[in-house]
Amino acid sequence: MIKKLILLLFFIHHSATVFSQKQTLFIDTNYNTSLTLSKVEKKPMVIFFYAPWCPHCNKMKNEVFTDSTVTSFYRKNFVCVLIDATSSYGKELKAKFQNTFKVGSFPTFAFLDSNENLLYCAVGELKKEAFLSEGNNVLLPENQLPYLKNSFNNDPSNSDKCLKYITSVRKAGLDATSITQKYFSTKTESERFTEPNWKVFSNGINNFDCDEFKFVIKNKEAFYKVVSPTRVDKKIIYTVSENLRPLVEALDTINYDNKRLIAKSFNMQQLDSLLYRFDIQILSGTSNWKKYQKITSDNVEKFSWNDTVLLYDICNTYLHDINDKNGLLQAINWGKYLLSKGESIDKYVLMSQLFTKVKDYKQAQEFAQKGKIFATNLKFKSDQFDLLLEETKKHIK
């Protein structure tokens, strides 16, 4: 009997331990049910938007949300809601709050009061201490979005209040341009050249097609003295890149071309290099090979010469999509330059194929032979070179 009792106690303890290990702060639940609970218990909600494939989400689930200190604090102060943002229900909920906050990356934590007002947002993987700190921040009214909004609107010329409000809005994934513009409307042009004002601009303006951004472009030298050329240029390039990239990815040539003209007018060499990369990406995506050939032909040596990966991609694109012989001969010269920067199997294959395409089979054979020797010396397979050599032999008498 004693042995049985000991075994029973061990089983109960073991089961409780396993059960506690599996406990987690967030569980899947219906949003409306949680909202009702938030009203009844008079506690704000924290919605954890996750994706099943997100390693950061899964790491927090396993390491943070199972911690007793974390679970105790959050259960005491919040109604915790778990939402799979990739599910149909999650997408509906994201759409419901699209004007309140954005779920642009995972994990995203949205803190709302019982009236569905956004109080705070946190994004990204957080360690235990940081997650507890964020929770404590939310509980202080002076850190909540409604308070920050009222504080700024009551004193729109205060840079500290403006920056705090902007930071909170940006963490919610929303655009803060209008807030920044309201702040700068309280400043004369000469008053703008200060470190605090640069911080407001840098954090709040994310559209390069607005007066405030153009003002910085026009007065770059003055802002260089306020902060540094590196910080100013980095902000300009980052903003242009973030505005144009979605248009390139969507192959939105109309809006891209319009925005590109504005960016081009800034007359910055670093921007010219960025625009060149975006140009060839969108032209490749839209199969505008005539314009692609024109832009690469004119700019490869200027913008691609020190980027062998990009140059190889361009040569490979010529191989598969450009049929103009002069263009292909130009790609062959670029390929020779690539080989001068370092041998590789891919480069030898590319050169042999380019010469085959222009029907220079002797040169194609020569590069295939060199490639085979190179591969053999490295003890790599040379099958692809054997196929290339067989193909060239058919055309050489």
Side-chain angles (χ1 to χ4, degrees), residues 36 51-52 58 88 99 149 159 193 200 225 252 262 276 285 293 303 317 328-329 339 350:
T36 301
N58 292 328
S88 57
N99 295 322
K149 181 179 180 180
S159 61
F193 302 104
V200 170
K225 296 175 183 178
D252 184 351
I262 299 168
Y276 165 72
Q293 183 180 344
F303 296 123
T317 298
L328 290 168
L329 291 174
L339 271 171
L350 172 68

Side-chain angles (χ1 to χ4, degrees), residues 72-271:
S72 176
F73 171 80
Y74 270 86
R75 284 173 181 161
K76 176 183 176 182
N77 294 289
F78 301 97
V79 173
C80 302
V81 188
L82 178 66
I83 299 293
D84 178 357
T86 65
S87 68
S88 57
Y89 185 71
K91 291 176 182 177
E92 288 176 10
L93 204 59
K94 286 195 298 180
K96 170 184 170 69
F97 288 109
Q98 63 181 336
N99 295 322
T100 306
F101 60 85
K102 306 287 186 186
V103 182
S105 60
F106 303 110
T108 289
F109 301 93
F111 297 82
L112 289 81
D113 66 18
S114 57
N115 293 315
E116 299 185 288
N117 296 309
L118 181 68
L119 302 177
Y120 196 86
C121 267
V123 179
E125 181 187 327
L126 299 168
K127 300 297 183 183
K128 169 187 169 181
E129 293 74 15
F131 191 55
L132 287 169
S133 177
E134 293 284 35
N136 278 297
N137 285 339
V138 180
L139 297 177
L140 299 175
E142 60 267 30
N143 294 325
Q144 296 174 0
L145 193 55
Y147 177 93
L148 295 173
K149 181 179 180 180
N150 289 332
S151 179
F152 168 71
N153 286 334
N154 290 332
D155 188 9
S157 65
N158 187 300
S159 61
D160 288 336
K161 292 179 179 180
C162 180
L163 191 57
K164 287 180 181 178
Y165 183 30
I166 285 172
T167 301
S168 186
V169 168
R170 291 292 307 281
K171 287 177 76 173
L174 302 177
D175 183 66
T177 300
S178 62
I179 300 168
T180 313
Q181 290 174 327
K182 183 174 183 177
Y183 169 78
F184 278 120
S185 69
T186 69
K187 308 294 179 185
T188 64
E189 289 192 356
S190 60
E191 289 175 332
R192 296 185 180 189
F193 302 104
T194 65
E195 171 78 21
N197 286 342
W198 171 258
K199 288 182 179 178
V200 170
F201 167 82
S202 183
N203 286 276
I205 296 295
N206 293 285
N207 176 11
F208 66 81
D209 187 16
C210 68
D211 291 339
E212 288 73 19
F213 197 92
K214 292 173 182 177
F215 177 83
V216 170
I217 293 292
K218 183 180 178 181
N219 296 279
K220 270 195 308 179
E221 297 296 329
F223 280 105
Y224 282 170
K225 296 175 183 178
V226 173
V227 280
S228 71
T230 300
R231 286 174 65 186
V232 174
D233 290 348
K234 186 177 180 180
K235 169 62 181 177
I236 293 170
I237 294 164
Y238 176 81
T239 304
V240 172
S241 178
E242 290 301 292
N243 277 248
L244 292 181
R245 182 176 288 107
L247 302 177
V248 173
E249 292 174 350
L251 302 180
D252 184 351
T253 55
I254 295 175
N255 286 312
Y256 173 76
D257 289 343
N258 291 335
K259 289 277 189 179
R260 186 192 186 284
L261 286 174
I262 299 168
K264 184 67 177 176
S265 70
F266 297 157
N267 294 317
M268 291 178 62
Q269 185 173 355
Q270 289 170 292
L271 278 183

